[in-house]
């Protein structure tokens, strides 16, 4: 709330997003929602986490939209937006400096990699290094939402193997040759592991037959079961960790 109010005062005329083909300033975004800095309160932001949010990922996710507006989420809480995540980086740096000042508080923050394209890692690393979001009081976990079914139904990919390639191929390449992407190499030294996230209240068919298809042949529109996701994440991370250890690099945990 403090950050949004301050930014609205000092950077009202900064162009922050594109809506229906035309650019919008921060002031225009708030005007389009009939809001001014005086209207904003913590209750209105509605981003409190209560115990319901930890059982239901959809409710947890909804809390990421300040005032229930996905546009504000995009402007303030995304690394990959019109401003290349400038505001999000500033918020993180403010939180980190508070933690550093208090000395004995640490945070474990999560950033998302969606597995939508092979270039996501490079973008995320570029953002992290460009804005220098590093802090000794913060460590990073990468959360991977289980969205294969959505990518498949939108014809972004043909099978589950492509999803896995988008997530792990850049990591193997940069482990093999850190100079191929020095920003990603640096960023990964601050990442401690991976998380797997989705709405866990959704029912699924958990039975995996012995004839279950490998990822390259999994071309259903349906999502693979949770166990299938975790097995292939675990298998890839294990091989990646052996490789990184041989190269004298840090390794990763799987903490879904």
């Amino acid at each position: 709330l403090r950050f949004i109010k301050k930014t609205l005062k000092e950077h009202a005329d900064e162009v922050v997003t594109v809506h229906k083909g035309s650019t919008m300033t921060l002031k225009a975004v708030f005007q389009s929602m009939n809001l001014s800095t005086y209207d904003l309160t913590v209750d209105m932001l509605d981003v409190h986490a209560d115990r319901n949010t930890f059982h239901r990922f959809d409710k947890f996710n909804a809390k990421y939209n300040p005032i229930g507006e996905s546009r504000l989420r995009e402007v303030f809480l995304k690394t990959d937006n019109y401003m290349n995540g400038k505001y999000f980086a500033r918020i993180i740096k403010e939180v980190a400096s508070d933690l550093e000042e208090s000395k004995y508080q640490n945070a474990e923050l999560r950033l998302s990699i969606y597995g939508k394209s092979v270039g996501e890692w490079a973008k995320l690393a570029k953002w992290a290094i460009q804005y220098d979001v590093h802090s000794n009081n913060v460590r990073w976990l990468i959360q991977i939402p289980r969205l294969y079914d959505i990518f498949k139904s939108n014809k972004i990919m043909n099978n589950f193997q492509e999803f896995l390639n988008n997530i792990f191929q850049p990591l193997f390449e940069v482990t093999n040759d850190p100079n191929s992407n020095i920003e990603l190499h640096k960023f990964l030294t601050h990442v401690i592991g991976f998380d797997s996230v989705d709405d866990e209240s959704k029912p699924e068919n958990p039975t995996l037959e012995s004839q279950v298809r490998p990822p390259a042949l999994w071309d259903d529109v349906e999502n693979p079961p949770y166990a299938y996701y975790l097995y292939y994440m675990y298998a890839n991370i294990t091989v990646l960790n052996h490789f990184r250890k041989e190269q004298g690099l840090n390794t990763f945990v799987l903490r879904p």
Side-chain angles (χ1 to χ4, degrees), residues 19-246:
H19 183 58
K20 290 179 181 167
S22 56
T23 56
M24 280 179 96
T25 62
L26 191 58
K27 193 158 104 190
V29 169
F30 277 89
Q31 279 170 346
S32 72
M33 298 183 300
N34 294 325
L35 282 175
S36 73
T37 42
Y38 300 109
D39 304 323
L40 286 175
T41 63
V42 166
D43 289 335
M44 203 174 171
L45 281 182
D46 190 29
V47 290
H48 289 102
D50 58 26
R51 67 197 182 119
N52 296 321
T53 52
F54 298 106
H55 294 289
R56 289 276 302 274
F57 190 71
D58 51 342
K59 288 188 176 178
F60 175 80
N61 229 359
K63 292 290 183 187
Y64 268 107
N65 294 339
I67 330 179
E69 286 281 344
S70 60
R71 224 178 306 170
L72 291 188
R73 174 185 185 162
E74 190 210 325
V75 171
F76 287 104
L77 297 171
K78 286 276 185 199
T79 59
D80 185 15
N81 58 14
Y82 183 82
M83 301 170 295
N84 299 319
K86 183 164 67 174
Y87 288 171
F88 186 42
R90 281 184 192 163
I91 293 173
I92 289 170
K93 286 173 83 80
E94 286 190 16
V95 170
S97 77
D98 285 355
L99 294 173
E100 285 162 16
E101 243 171 69
S102 74
K103 271 193 184 152
Y104 305 110
Q105 274 181 306
N106 300 285
E108 184 178 82
L109 306 180
R110 277 153 177 74
L111 292 168
S112 293
I113 285 285
Y114 296 93
K116 196 174 177 178
S117 79
V118 85
E120 278 179 58
W121 278 108
K123 266 187 176 167
L124 185 62
K126 191 179 170 64
W127 167 83
I129 302 299
Q130 181 187 346
Y131 293 112
D132 187 28
V133 293
H134 162 70
S135 163
N136 287 333
N137 295 58
V138 173
R139 56 188 201 169
W140 298 98
L141 227 74
I142 298 295
Q143 62 177 24
I144 297 171
R146 299 191 287 282
L147 297 177
Y148 161 78
D149 54 338
I150 290 168
F151 301 148
K152 173 68 180 171
S153 58
N154 289 333
K155 298 188 167 53
I156 294 170
M157 54 189 63
N158 301 311
N159 55 51
F160 192 72
Q161 185 62 53
E162 288 179 29
F163 174 78
L164 290 171
N165 286 353
N166 289 341
I167 293 165
F168 291 105
Q169 192 181 323
L171 303 183
F172 279 99
E173 284 172 358
V174 79
T175 299
N176 185 43
D177 176 15
N179 291 322
S180 64
N181 186 335
I182 203 75
E183 288 174 325
L184 180 54
H185 169 67
K186 278 184 186 166
F187 174 61
L188 290 177
T189 61
H190 303 296
V191 171
I192 60 140
F194 293 87
D195 182 1
S196 174
V197 296
D198 195 19
D199 181 356
E200 259 111 43
S201 67
K202 282 193 295 201
E204 64 168 29
N205 177 13
T207 52
L208 285 177
E209 305 83 41
S210 55
Q211 294 84 22
V212 72
R213 283 164 298 161
L217 299 178
W218 190 289
D219 55 2
D220 294 12
V221 176
E222 268 183 36
N223 236 356
Y226 179 60
Y228 189 92
Y229 264 98
L230 276 215
Y231 172 76
Y232 283 103
M233 279 183 71
Y234 175 82
N236 276 283
I237 292 167
T238 302
V239 177
L240 181 64
N241 278 345
H242 281 295
F243 189 24
R244 288 182 72 83
K245 205 170 179 181
E246 276 173 19

